């Protein structure tokens, strides 16, 4: 879609915004100039711009997806996808860190849904409700939450394996472990940290804790210098005997799996908004390529660079890849937000396992095209194409690569078909 003068950037992804969604998107639109102005220097220094926390807080955006009754803006996944997409066109690093802040809301929304569904007993409900509401009211009140789950420990059967431990002591818990991935290290007010309870070796023992950024025993890992978005403060943390009070923990056994049952797809339930970050970044690279190649001309003929056969082919392929990303993303958004649901949870989950890889691979190809179209003169890392090429490389591996998603879906599909092929013989037949 080519935007009109009155179209906000977020509407390039979510084209049918309601009046309320437009009002929330206007808040996002208002911060984009500042994000865009700081993006190049933030990338060069690999530093999250500290001023962005206040910028987003003052705009009310830290409570974007928090219900109004808890003080938030009452936005949905549609709002979050539009926001991360728009921010991705300005500063992908900020957009990514902002996405992970918003994933924290699932630790509040899903437990409350599980309570309403009757999944917790009477003794558990007050504890679960208090923690869930604390997550949401802190977000709405302007606290930045960093969502720390991922670790360097890997197992064959899961995308994320939690090795950080939580040991019960009088009045609270002692946390020990290392988190290898988590945006806003040293920036967020709290690290919302996953850990496993003692004497549990299944997901039933996974728990969530509020860890203040400056709590004793919390240490920042070595600076992260990865192939990806450099200004996300993505260093990770080490927890050395960190004490967390009981009222700052959701340590009810089984709470994690009960929350999982309430999401429309994956546990977090808003994973597609991270793919929206990459799509926004790809859109910016695409727009910059078109602007540069249509304005710059050949010295001998005066024709635009974009008119050459090579550039026509590159731009055509970039257009195809970008529209592929939009199609996958919009469909996923539709099946995760429509009411009543069109697809079962299993179908939504399988679609995302394919969609994540399809979107991120397509976006990377857009950046690769921008790199080719710009040539040597546009290959500097300070340029949009150079930064996008590196930024979008992260999407190829974050959470899981496209190959893993395809493998999982293939197993789901073939196992279902195999089960169909084995049925009881009709009566009277051998």
């Amino acid at each position: 879609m080519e935007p009109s003068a009155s179209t906000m950037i977020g509407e390039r992804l979510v084209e049918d915004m309601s009046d309320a969604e437009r009002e929330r998107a206007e808040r996002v639109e208002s911060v984009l100039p500042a994000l865009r102005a700081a993006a190049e220097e933030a990338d060069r220094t690999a530093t999250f711009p500290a001023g962005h926390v206040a910028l987003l807080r003052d705009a009310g955006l830290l409570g974007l997806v928090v219900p109004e009754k808890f003080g938030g803006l009452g936005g949905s996944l549609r709002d979050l996808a539009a926001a991360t997409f728009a921010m991705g066109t300005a500063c992908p690093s900020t957009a990514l860190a902002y996405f992970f802040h918003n994933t924290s809301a699932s630790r509040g929304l899903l437990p409350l849904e599980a309570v309403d569904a009757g999944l917790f007993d009477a003794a558990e409900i007050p504890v679960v409700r208090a923690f869930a509401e604390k997550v949401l009211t802190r977000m709405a009140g302007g606290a930045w939450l960093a969502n720390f789950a991922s670790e360097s420990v890997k197992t064959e059967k899961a995308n994320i394996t939690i090795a950080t431990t939580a040991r019960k002591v009088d009045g609270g818990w002692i946390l020990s472990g290392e988190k290898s991935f988590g945006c806003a290290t040293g920036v967020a007010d709290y690290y919302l940290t996953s850990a496993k309870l003692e004497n549990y070796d299944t997901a039933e023992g996974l728990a969530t804790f509020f860890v203040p950024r400056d709590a004793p025993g919390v240490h920042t890992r070595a600076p992260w210098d990865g192939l990806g978005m450099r200004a996300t403060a993505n260093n990770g943390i080490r927890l050395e005997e960190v004490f967390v009070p009981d009222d700052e923990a959701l340590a009810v056994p089984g709470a994690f799996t009960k929350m999982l049952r309430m999401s429309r797809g994956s546990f977090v339930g808003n994973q597609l908004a991270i793919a929206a970050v990459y799509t926004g970044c790809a859109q910016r690279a695409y727009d910059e390529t078109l602007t540069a190649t249509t304005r710059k001309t050949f010295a001998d003929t005066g024709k635009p660079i974009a008119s050459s056969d090579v550039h026509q082919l590159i731009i055509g392929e970039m257009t195809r890849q970008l529209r592929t990303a939009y199609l996958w993303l919009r469909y996923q958004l539709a099946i995760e937000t429509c009411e009543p649901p069109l697809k079962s949870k299993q179908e939504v989950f399988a679609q995302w396992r394919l969609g994540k890889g399809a979107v991120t691979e397509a976006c990377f190809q857009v950046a690769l095209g921008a790199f080719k179209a710009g040539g040597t003169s546009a290959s500097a890392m300070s340029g949009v194409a150079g930064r996008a090429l590196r930024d979008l490389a992260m999407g190829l591996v974050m959470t899981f690569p496209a190959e893993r998603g395809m493998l999982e879906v293939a197993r789901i599909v073939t196992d279902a078909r195999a089960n169909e092929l084995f049925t009881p013989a009709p009566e009277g037949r051998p």
Side-chain angles (χ1 to χ4, degrees), residues 110-132:
L110 295 181
L112 293 179
E113 291 183 27
V115 168
D116 292 341
L119 300 185
F120 291 101
D121 62 35
E124 294 170 335
I125 288 175
V127 176
V128 173
R129 189 182 296 279
F131 183 87

Side-chain angles (χ1 to χ4, degrees), residues 53-353:
V53 176
L55 177 72
L56 297 174
R57 179 188 295 123
D58 292 346
L61 292 172
L62 297 187
L64 176 65
V65 296
V66 175
E68 292 180 355
K69 68 178 180 179
F70 296 112
L73 297 181
S76 70
L77 179 57
R78 285 166 53 91
D79 294 270
L80 180 58
T84 56
F85 169 83
M87 291 182 186
T89 69
C91 178
S93 288
T94 300
L96 188 67
Y98 179 71
F99 162 79
F100 279 107
H101 162 76
N102 281 280
T103 64
S104 302
S106 66
R107 274 59 169 178
L109 296 172
L110 295 181
L112 293 179
E113 291 183 27
V115 168
D116 292 341
L119 300 185
F120 291 101
D121 62 35
E124 294 170 335
I125 288 175
V127 176
V128 173
R129 189 182 296 279
F131 183 87
E133 292 183 356
K134 184 175 288 187
V135 171
L136 298 174
T137 54
R138 281 183 175 171
M139 291 179 69
W144 189 297
L145 304 185
N147 203 339
F148 278 83
S150 295
E151 303 184 11
S152 57
V153 175
K154 300 296 180 185
T155 55
E156 184 177 357
K157 295 182 179 180
N159 292 318
I160 297 175
T161 300
I162 306 300
T164 299
T165 59
R167 185 178 79 253
K168 190 70 180 77
V169 295
D170 289 343
W173 300 83
I174 298 295
L175 270 58
S176 297
E178 183 171 301
K179 296 297 185 180
S180 61
F181 181 87
C183 294
T185 303
V187 174
D189 298 294
Y190 295 95
Y191 301 140
L192 201 58
T193 304
S194 300
K196 63 176 183 175
L197 304 179
E198 287 182 297
N199 303 319
Y200 283 88
D201 57 5
T202 69
E204 295 290 309
L206 294 181
T208 306
F209 302 84
F210 276 110
V211 177
R213 179 183 64 215
D214 298 324
V218 177
H219 306 282
T220 300
R221 298 195 334 150
W224 184 75
D225 189 23
L227 182 64
M229 299 172 187
R230 288 168 50 78
T232 56
N234 193 30
N235 304 334
I237 56 175
R238 292 194 318 277
L239 304 172
E240 298 179 356
E241 297 285 297
V242 176
F243 176 75
V244 178
D246 282 325
D247 62 358
E248 294 286 286
L250 179 55
V252 175
F256 177 89
T257 54
K258 290 171 182 176
M259 286 189 284
L260 179 64
R261 291 167 59 181
M262 306 312 300
S263 67
R264 289 280 285 263
S266 63
F267 166 60
V268 176
N270 50 24
Q271 289 279 296
L272 73 86
I274 197 172
V277 174
Y278 301 125
T279 307
C281 180
Q283 181 68 64
R284 172 77 184 282
Y286 179 86
D287 291 341
E288 292 287 338
T289 298
L290 283 187
T291 299
T293 58
T294 54
R295 289 182 179 176
K296 190 173 183 179
T297 59
F298 290 111
D300 54 345
T301 64
K303 293 180 180 180
I305 298 292
S307 66
S308 77
D309 290 343
V310 170
H311 282 84
Q312 289 278 289
L313 181 61
I314 291 173
I315 292 170
E317 177 62 10
M318 290 174 68
T319 303
R320 183 180 74 86
Q321 295 285 1
L322 186 58
R323 292 186 179 179
T324 295
Y326 274 104
L327 288 171
W328 278 95
L329 198 52
R330 286 175 179 150
Y331 182 69
Q332 188 71 31
L333 186 58
I335 63 174
E336 289 202 27
T337 59
C338 64
E339 293 294 346
L342 292 173
K343 301 285 186 181
S344 69
K345 180 182 174 115
Q346 181 73 345
E347 289 175 301
V348 173
F349 174 80
Q351 184 71 21
W352 171 244
R353 305 309 276 186

Side-chain angles (χ1 to χ4, degrees), residues 414-424:
T414 55
D415 286 352
R417 180 57 55 87
N419 290 334
E420 291 175 2
L421 294 175
F422 289 89
T423 61

